[in-house]
Amino acid sequence: MTSLSRELVFLILQFLEEEKFKESVHRLEKESGFFFNLKYFEEKVLAGEWEEAEKYLTGFTKVDDNRYSMKMFFEIRKQKYLEALDRKDKTNAVEILVGDLKIFSTFNEELYKEITQLLTLSNFRENEQLSKYGDTKTARRIMLVELKRLIDANPLFHDKLIFPTLRSSRLRTLINQSLNWQHQLCKNPRPNPDIKTLFMDHTCTPPNGPLAPTPVNLPIASIGKPAAYTSIGAHGPFLPAAATANANALAGWMANASASSSVQAAVVTPSGIPVPQNQVSILKHARTPLTTPGIVDYQNADHEQLMKRLRPAPSFEEVSYPPARHSSGSVDDLPRTVAMTLHQGSSVTSMDFHPSHQSLLLVGSNNGEITLWELGLRDRLVVEPFNIWDISVCSLPFQAAMVKDAPISVSCVTWSLDGDFVGVGFTKHLIHLYAYTGSNELTQRIEVDAHIGGVNDLAFAHPNKQLCIVTCGDDKLIKVWDLTGRKLFNFEGHKAPVYSICPHQRGKIKFVFSTAIDGKIKAWLYDNMGPRVDYDAPGYWCTTLLYSGDGSRLFSCGTSKDGESFLVEWNETEGSIKRTYNGFRKKSAGVVQFDTTQNRFLAAGEEGQVKFWEMDNTNLLTSTDAEGGLQALPLLRFNKEGNLLAVTTADNGFKILANVSGLRSLRTVETPRFEALRSPINSAVIKASGSSAVNVTPANCKVDRSSPVRPSPILNGGVDPTGRNSEILRAVEDGLDRAKPWQLSEIVDPVQCRLVTMPDSTDSSSKVIRLLYTNSGAGILALGSNGVQRLWKWARSEQNPNGKATASVVPQHWQPNSGLLMTNDVSGVNLDEAVPCIALSKNDSYVLSACGGKASLFNMMTFKVMTTFMPPPPASTFLVFHPQDNNIIAMGMEDSTIYIYNVRVDEVKSKLKGHQKQITGFAFSTCLNILVSSGADAQLCVWSIDTWEKRKSVPLQLPAGKAPVGDTRVQFHLDQIRLLVAHETQLAIYDASKMDRIRQWVPQDVLAAPITYAAYSCNSQLIYATFCDGNTGVFDADSLRLRCRIAPSAYFSPAALSGKQSVYPVVVAAHPVEPYQFAVGLTDGSVKVVEPSESEGNWGTSPPIDNGVVNGRTASSSTTSNHTPDQAQR
């Protein structure tokens, strides 16, 4: 069903509710499956109307859909059973036991037996676990709490619990608007038309005589309407009856943006509702076209979409994993522990974390300097003092301003979304754009004389699918620039200096919010046609707008001229303030700054403290003074993961606060040497003033290790908040660090690492072909060449309190009580030629696998086969679940085709052709909206997830004379842009947005054998690769430089080392949470989990970029960039 048809269902639901068609409302809710009315479900549960409650529930899920659904149905039927026992109605209880609860016996036979034994008790409360069972009403309320928790966690209910915010009687309004349009199109419109039907288009009958009456607008309330419509109830997400509009707030939102036009500029018609061709044409071209080239009509389609709903209706498509919903925030999740205090040297004016390297912090200062810090080493990687790159082409007002003594400060610094560019705005006129090409290098790109006066804010955006820079300034303008410095748009409309900007995107609609120091908030489309909204911010002064991390919620924080601060959440659809947060205690002398994180928390700096709120709770959650020393109104900035928080101090520095995860991430950073991730970018500096641009000399900004502006790292991991007595120690340690040559870490003995072999895993007749960690990190699943899957789980214990996979504890070879094995259908299959393949659902409930025969879907709790499908030929060779829908599977086949298969309806939705040989790998990127496939033909194909059309095909660059054969594996980096490609001849990193190769490594020196498999670590900082000679290599993921070699002697059994048959790892899997843990599957059938020794804690260190020779081998020759198709150097 299309999104418009889906929205029509919501409009009908609202209409039925307003008209009091109660039964019809809930029947449509159930039949459409778009909105789960939790209040109605609660009423049925609390009333004990079990049949109706379960019938309503089945409109949204079935008992075997997932573990959450199964538990929901079980809780309902169990309660029904207990109530029958409590009434002493054993006949009914037996019927429920046999008819309703029997199905659960296949999943937990012991539990079913225990429930059955309740029939033998005179009072089921004699059972110890039910001894606290109270009266029926209390039991139902307790069960309802559990049901709500399960509903909230169930992915099938994602986006089905909130009804879209609609103005009351929205369907009536749309019908009235349609009649209004129809009346405007009448050749002889009457002043008071008599409309008696909606079944036919309205036309006014011609009057007697040649002259028609003057056209008039049809009143919007022409259709009769009851005096009042009640809302669905206080519980529900339906809005109550329309409240009085506030003309000065967002209530009008965008509804009156163009009141002069009575005819809409764009018509959207649902499929199946015919519209006369001439009528559509008239409506589309009703306005006089503008003559200005390149400017579109004010009321274009994007404008209409923006006016009507910036917040799109939630998607009804099933997702594979429950979203991060939190009924209450945990204070422990907030970064409140002071991890370090760093001295900047000048007052910090702006900060921004790198979008993917979570410990890289960009800092702008009052003295005009920008600094790039690696927090894990407390190390400045780049220091760039302010300078004008080319004064000769600057505007005369700027040159005049430079004559004055007032210094230039940094007003804002920001990263582009991909982390490839840095934008800097200054307090006078200029913006600078740098390309980030490595850990200690920023390359000057453009300098723009952007605004008269100060540049107050800067952000990156993607209008028209190109990366651009949006700026605002004291000249009351917002401007959009491309990466050459050419001005694309100039937004005029503010009557005061523009304070901040917030670019955003809703679906295909891209727009910019702006705020000015007179408290005005405006929204702009990229069309030079003026602001689309104009309303007032709380406090009527300086305000900043920010979206939550997922882009679904809009917040603002600002301060009035009187010093009163406001932190609010906006209802975008209604254009009103949804909630105002409490906790600001006194009037401020400046403007309060804030940030959002984890889609859960807000933080603002006030009174020398950082204050935290939950997004869903207006009361202050907690606060911290970070051990003192903060500015009165500190600046603050979270990293993307929300585990680090930078906050400014009064002594020209900043502190880094962290939670447990953040402290761990800081400890895992060993080196500031993050190599360039992209092809070298043209470093020609472009100077732009207005629309002119000239080329000047390239310049690189570097700080050497010996530079006096580069402080030494604290190598012992200690924290010295005061900095006293530590500079000498750091200087000595830094000197020792420079003197010590880098060495490749080589693990050759079992005592140098931690190792555990899975019990009952060795089987020389069945080598391990596929290996997966469960998504919870508590188990390992292996698929052998004989088609049998084996599962090992770690239990909670004193030695392993979190129950996660570890090399320090031997796990259990897990099987259900039935003793079943997860065995694939291999009847009639030649196992020597079959290609085993496996995929695990995101919730660990189901595993899909095949081994030359039909694909089988196994229940991970019972090992039972839920269903089989797609019998050969052709046989499946690679499987993967769609990341957003567990019912959709991409299946690579032996005949080189790709099937997009829907399990629920048992149907092949699409059949893709692009490879020449069997499929060997898949990788989804929801960021780029693509599926990348790899094949035994050494080809990579890129497919659109939306249309399943092929976008591109890229051959691997193989060594000279090497035939294009061999399995190719693909995996996306956490950023969903960089793509790891593993082939027996190479490891390579591609930029999937363009499918350009960034890095390549070829087997050489101590790792000269062909590659068998490779995988990213869970944090995408490392790459684990296995080789045919038994070696395993650990590579730096950014530079593809080898940092550690693990020899076979370190993890092979003595029998494998001394045996006649060659043993080597076929597959490697990385732990989903622990970045330094991996598992390997060997040709002898064994599975081993390997971790660094506790004393080391990691797999070596990355070689310095400038270290030319490592152990007699040239380190720099191991990788190549993609500027040439030639073979990688050896």
Side-chain angles (χ1 to χ4, degrees):
M1 182 176 286
T2 66
S3 61
L4 288 177
S5 299
R6 182 173 182 271
E7 290 177 4
L8 181 58
V9 172
F10 282 114
L11 294 177
I12 296 171
L13 284 172
Q14 184 195 40
F15 173 79
L16 292 173
E17 177 63 27
E18 291 174 339
E19 293 295 317
K20 302 296 190 344
F21 295 114
K22 296 293 186 181
E23 292 185 8
S24 300
V25 168
H26 303 312
R27 184 168 181 175
L28 181 56
E29 288 167 352
K30 183 177 85 73
E31 290 185 353
S32 67
F34 291 161
F35 172 62
F36 185 81
N37 192 324
L38 189 57
K39 179 65 174 179
Y40 173 73
F41 183 68
E42 287 179 15
E43 292 173 354
K44 296 303 175 184
V45 169
L46 293 177
E49 298 179 27
W50 306 119
E51 300 302 326
E52 183 59 33
E54 191 165 320
K55 185 188 299 183
Y56 185 74
L57 191 62
T58 55
F60 302 87
T61 185
K62 301 294 186 291
V63 73
D64 58 350
D65 277 344
N66 56 47
R67 58 181 175 178
Y68 305 107
S69 299
M70 184 180 297
K71 186 75 161 53
M72 290 164 62
F73 281 97
F74 176 74
E75 290 295 330
I76 291 173
R77 296 176 185 182
K78 181 188 73 174
Q79 181 62 28
K80 183 167 61 169
Y81 175 67
L82 293 178
E83 289 185 16
L85 290 176
D86 211 20
R87 296 192 307 267
K88 309 300 182 182
D89 187 353
K90 291 199 173 183
T91 302
N92 187 22
V94 171
E95 291 176 355
I96 296 170
L97 182 68
V98 176
D100 294 338
L101 290 171
K102 179 67 175 178
I103 187 174
F104 301 105
S105 65
T106 59
F107 303 102
N108 193 330
E109 190 172 355
E110 294 300 320
L111 179 60
Y112 183 74
K113 289 179 180 178
E114 188 173 350
I115 291 174
T116 304
Q117 290 172 357
L118 297 178
L119 287 168
T120 64
L121 303 177
S122 58
N123 186 339
F124 63 80
R125 292 173 180 81
E126 296 173 15
N127 182 289
E128 183 180 355
Q129 296 182 22
L130 296 173
S131 60
K132 295 182 180 180
Y133 184 95
D135 60 90
T136 298
K137 289 185 177 180
T138 303
R140 289 175 182 173
R141 290 194 190 98
I142 294 172
M143 182 195 64
L144 184 59
V145 172
E146 175 66 10
L147 289 176
K148 286 182 177 180
R149 186 187 68 80
L150 293 169
I151 290 170
D152 193 52
N154 196 325
L156 294 178
F157 289 82
H158 177 53
D159 287 341
K160 294 181 182 180
L161 300 175
I162 299 177
F163 197 91
T165 49
L166 303 173
R167 293 184 183 274
S168 61
S169 303
R170 179 61 179 159
L171 186 58
R172 289 180 178 276
T173 301
L174 292 175
I175 293 173
N176 284 331
Q177 289 174 351
S178 174
L179 294 173
N180 195 6
W181 297 342
Q182 294 174 32
H183 185 65
Q184 292 292 322
L185 296 174
C186 291
K187 293 182 179 179
N188 301 293
R190 290 186 171 187
N192 297 300
D194 184 17
I195 299 176
K196 297 181 178 180
T197 181
L198 298 177
F199 294 161
M200 299 176 62
D201 287 346
H202 163 69
T203 57
C204 289
T205 56
N208 296 326
L211 297 178
T214 305
V216 296
N217 283 341
L218 183 68
I220 202 69
S222 61
I223 294 182
K225 174 184 173 183
Y229 295 98
T230 57
S231 68
I232 202 166
H235 72 281
F238 284 98
L239 291 175
T244 303
N246 180 357
N248 293 325
L250 280 170
W253 194 230
M254 302 181 179
N256 300 317
S258 182
S260 61
S261 174
S262 62
V263 180
Q264 300 294 326
V267 177
V268 181
T269 59
S271 58
I273 303 179
V275 178
Q277 184 64 36
N278 61 337
Q279 181 174 330
V280 175
S281 177
I282 292 171
L283 291 174
K284 285 185 176 179
H285 305 285
R287 292 169 57 92
T288 305
L290 298 171
T291 56
T292 306
I295 297 180
V296 299
D297 189 351
Y298 186 92
Q299 281 192 313
N300 55 30
D302 279 355
H303 167 75
E304 291 303 321
Q305 291 294 322
L306 188 61
M307 300 304 104
K308 293 175 183 175
R309 56 176 183 92
L310 275 179
R311 184 187 296 277
S315 170
F316 68 90
E317 296 178 358
E318 179 187 8
V319 296
S320 59
Y321 215 45
R325 298 171 182 259
H326 302 275
S327 58
S328 62
S330 170
V331 174
D332 294 336
D333 294 336
L334 293 168
R336 297 185 303 149
T337 302
V338 177
M340 65 187 72
T341 301
L342 297 172
H343 187 66
Q344 179 68 19
S346 178
S347 178
V348 175
T349 56
S350 183
M351 301 179 290
D352 196 25
F353 278 94
H354 191 281
S356 57
H357 293 308
Q358 301 296 311
S359 59
L360 282 183
L361 179 65
L362 185 66
V363 177
S365 305
N366 190 52
N367 61 1
E369 179 181 278
I370 62 170
T371 307
L372 181 60
W373 289 85
E374 170 48 68
L375 301 179
L377 292 171
R378 300 158 176 80
D379 189 10
R380 286 182 173 97
L381 304 182
V382 177
V383 176
E384 174 63 6
F386 172 75
N387 63 77
I388 302 170
W389 298 348
D390 191 347
I391 188 66
S392 64
V393 295
C394 290
S395 64
L396 291 177
F398 176 67
Q399 294 187 40
M402 287 300 298
V403 174
K404 300 179 181 179
D405 294 333
I408 290 184
S409 302
V410 173
S411 58
C412 49
V413 293
T414 188
W415 291 95
S416 62
L417 292 177
D418 56 8
D420 284 350
F421 295 97
V422 166
V424 186
F426 296 94
T427 53
K428 289 184 181 178
H429 289 247
L430 294 183
I431 63 171
H432 283 172
L433 178 69
Y434 294 88
Y436 176 59
T437 57
S439 62
N440 63 344
E441 184 175 350
L442 289 176
T443 304
Q444 296 176 3
R445 286 298 301 270
I446 61 171
E447 182 180 53
V448 181
D449 190 344
H451 293 271
I452 298 174
V455 178
N456 295 327
D457 202 2
L458 177 150
F460 287 92
H462 284 82
N464 305 320
K465 298 183 179 180
Q466 68 175 115
L467 182 63
C468 295
I469 308 166
V470 186
T471 62
C472 66
D474 288 341
D475 53 7
K476 308 173 187 177
L477 300 176
I478 299 107
K479 300 181 181 181
V480 183
W481 316 83
D482 68 12
L483 296 193
T484 67
R486 181 171 62 94
K487 186 167 64 178
L488 301 178
F489 299 101
N490 195 68
F491 299 154
E492 300 182 31
H494 277 292
K495 297 180 180 179
V498 185
Y499 179 73
S500 71
I501 48 177
C502 179
H504 197 58
Q505 178 174 348
R506 286 288 190 196
K508 296 182 180 179
I509 308 166
K510 301 176 182 180
F511 55 94
V512 180
F513 277 121
S514 62
T515 69
I517 64 171
D518 59 0
K520 292 294 183 182
I521 301 177
K522 299 180 185 290
W524 317 76
L525 293 175
Y526 294 93
D527 57 7
N528 279 330
M529 295 305 299
R532 295 313 204 264
V533 296
D534 186 350
Y535 52 90
D536 295 319
Y540 304 98
W541 199 40
C542 298
T543 296
T544 303
L545 290 165
L546 286 177
Y547 276 92
S548 57
D550 60 5
S552 65
R553 302 172 71 173
L554 177 63
F555 302 88
S556 73
C557 183
T559 305
S560 70
K561 290 182 179 180
D562 296 330
E564 186 177 2
S565 297
F566 300 87
L567 176 60
V568 303
E569 180 180 4
W570 294 94
N571 183 324
E572 291 181 80
T573 305
E574 290 298 308
S576 59
I577 292 175
K578 185 175 182 179
R579 56 172 59 92
T580 300
Y581 297 90
N582 307 314
F584 295 110
R585 295 185 179 177
K586 69 177 185 179
K587 293 188 176 182
S588 302
V591 181
V592 171
Q593 304 295 322
F594 86 118
D595 201 3
T596 73
T597 186
Q598 300 178 27
N599 298 316
R600 296 174 60 191
F601 299 111
L602 302 166
E606 188 205 31
E607 298 183 290
Q609 295 181 321
V610 180
K611 299 183 175 182
F612 298 96
W613 292 263
E614 285 184 274
M615 290 181 176
D616 296 326
N617 191 332
T618 58
N619 295 321
L620 185 67
L621 176 63
T622 187
S623 62
T624 178
D625 65 356
E627 300 178 1
L630 300 184
Q631 291 179 328
L633 295 174
L635 303 176
L636 46 84
R637 181 68 65 200
F638 287 101
N639 68 349
K640 188 174 182 181
E641 292 182 358
N643 56 19
L644 299 178
L645 174 64
V647 56
T648 54
T649 59
D651 60 351
N652 296 338
F654 57 93
K655 293 186 178 185
I656 301 300
L657 311 185
N659 59 17
V660 174
S661 171
L663 292 171
R664 186 185 303 117
S665 69
L666 291 174
R667 287 197 297 267
T668 61
V669 178
E670 302 95 18
T671 174
R673 308 297 192 185
F674 292 103
E675 182 124 20
L677 304 180
R678 298 278 190 271
S679 311
I681 303 172
N682 185 357
S683 60
V685 179
I686 304 168
K687 173 71 190 186
S689 178
S691 59
S692 61
V694 294
N695 291 331
V696 293
T697 307
N700 292 334
C701 313
K702 296 185 179 181
V703 178
D704 295 331
R705 293 178 63 86
S706 58
S707 171
V709 300
R710 177 187 180 278
S712 305
I714 300 176
L715 298 180
N716 60 5
V719 178
D720 182 8
T722 65
R724 299 190 191 98
N725 302 321
S726 63
E727 292 299 325
I728 296 175
L729 176 62
R730 289 202 295 266
V732 171
E733 290 178 334
D734 193 42
L736 293 173
D737 181 52
R738 289 197 300 270
K740 183 179 179 179
W742 179 88
Q743 286 188 332
L744 174 68
S745 176
E746 297 196 274
I747 310 297
V748 297
D749 193 281
V751 299
Q752 294 178 273
C753 63
R754 287 179 290 161
L755 172 72
V756 63
T757 301
M758 303 300 100
D760 306 321
S761 65
T762 304
D763 181 1
S764 57
S765 65
S766 176
K767 61 183 179 182
V768 179
I769 304 296
R770 297 288 179 265
L771 191 64
L772 299 172
Y773 276 94
T774 58
N775 293 290
S776 65
I780 286 181
L781 186 64
L783 173 59
S785 57
N786 61 356
V788 177
Q789 295 160 116
R790 293 170 292 171
L791 176 64
W792 293 271
K793 288 184 178 181
W794 278 259
R796 294 180 184 272
S797 63
E798 292 184 5
Q799 295 79 17
N800 187 27
N802 62 9
K804 301 296 184 183
T806 173
S808 302
V809 176
V810 178
Q812 173 192 4
H813 183 201
W814 195 88
Q815 284 182 275
N817 294 333
S818 62
L820 282 177
L821 295 176
M822 282 192 284
T823 304
N824 278 285
D825 173 28
V826 293
S827 55
V829 174
N830 184 345
L831 293 178
D832 293 333
E833 298 178 358
V835 180
C837 47
I838 189 172
L840 184 63
S841 66
K842 289 291 185 182
N843 55 17
D844 292 336
S845 295
Y846 304 101
V847 62
L848 177 68
S849 63
C851 186
K854 292 182 291 187
S856 300
L857 185 66
F858 293 89
N859 185 303
M860 284 282 281
M861 292 185 289
T862 64
F863 285 10
K864 289 187 176 181
V865 177
M866 307 296 290
T867 185
T868 60
F869 48 89
M870 299 300 292
S876 304
T877 56
F878 204 89
L879 303 168
V880 65
F881 283 97
H882 192 291
Q884 296 172 322
D885 190 343
N886 265 346
N887 292 314
I888 304 297
I889 301 167
M891 307 180 68
M893 315 304 284
E894 63 182 354
D895 66 351
S896 79
T897 58
I898 299 170
Y899 291 168
I900 306 301
Y901 180 78
N902 189 313
V903 179
R904 184 181 288 275
V905 298
D906 191 20
E907 181 181 346
V908 175
K909 293 295 186 180
S910 298
K911 186 176 181 180
L912 315 181
K913 294 183 178 181
H915 288 277
Q916 305 302 316
K917 296 183 180 179
Q918 70 184 30
I919 307 301
T920 60
F922 285 133
F924 276 100
S925 170
T926 53
C927 171
L928 299 176
N929 219 30
I930 60 173
L931 168 68
V932 177
S933 61
S934 60
D937 54 0
Q939 291 274 337
L940 304 175
C941 290
V942 182
W943 312 87
S944 166
I945 294 178
D946 293 330
T947 63
W948 298 114
E949 294 178 354
K950 187 168 75 170
R951 291 185 181 178
K952 199 168 188 179
S953 181
V954 179
L956 293 187
Q957 297 173 12
L958 300 176
K962 173 66 178 178
V965 295
D967 291 354
T968 308
R969 313 292 183 196
V970 287
Q971 183 187 357
F972 269 104
H973 186 281
L974 279 180
D975 64 13
Q976 294 277 288
I977 296 175
R978 280 169 279 173
L979 180 73
L980 170 64
V981 179
H983 184 263
E984 63 182 59
T985 64
Q986 63 188 274
L987 299 175
I989 306 293
Y990 282 75
D991 178 350
S993 64
K994 303 182 287 287
M995 286 309 292
D996 291 339
R997 195 187 71 190
I998 302 168
R999 286 280 177 268
Q1000 184 187 51
W1001 181 91
V1002 296
Q1004 59 192 281
D1005 301 326
V1006 293
L1007 296 178
I1011 299 166
T1012 60
Y1013 212 95
Y1016 273 122
S1017 63
C1018 63
N1019 61 2
S1020 295
Q1021 298 298 312
L1022 304 175
I1023 294 173
Y1024 298 110
T1026 53
F1027 296 81
C1028 282
D1029 60 1
N1031 279 296
T1032 297
V1034 183
F1035 294 81
D1036 183 274
D1038 293 330
S1039 64
L1040 281 187
R1041 293 177 182 271
L1042 180 65
R1043 55 190 286 161
C1044 180
R1045 179 182 74 94
I1046 305 170
S1049 56
Y1051 66 102
F1052 278 19
S1053 66
L1057 290 171
S1058 60
K1060 296 180 180 179
Q1061 193 172 7
S1062 174
V1063 176
Y1064 60 88
V1066 179
V1067 61
V1068 63
H1071 192 281
V1073 178
E1074 297 296 334
Y1076 295 115
Q1077 183 187 134
F1078 66 92
V1080 290
L1082 307 184
T1083 53
D1084 65 356
S1086 63
V1087 176
K1088 300 174 184 289
V1089 170
V1090 190
E1091 290 184 277
S1093 64
E1094 292 185 354
S1095 60
E1096 290 294 332
N1098 53 59
W1099 299 113
T1101 59
S1102 296
I1105 296 173
D1106 55 354
N1107 193 5
V1109 177
V1110 180
N1111 288 350
R1113 300 185 291 272
T1114 304
S1116 60
S1117 67
S1118 63
T1119 59
T1120 61
S1121 132
N1122 69 334
H1123 297 294
T1124 171
D1126 296 339
Q1127 178 187 354
Q1129 299 175 6
R1130 289 184 177 269

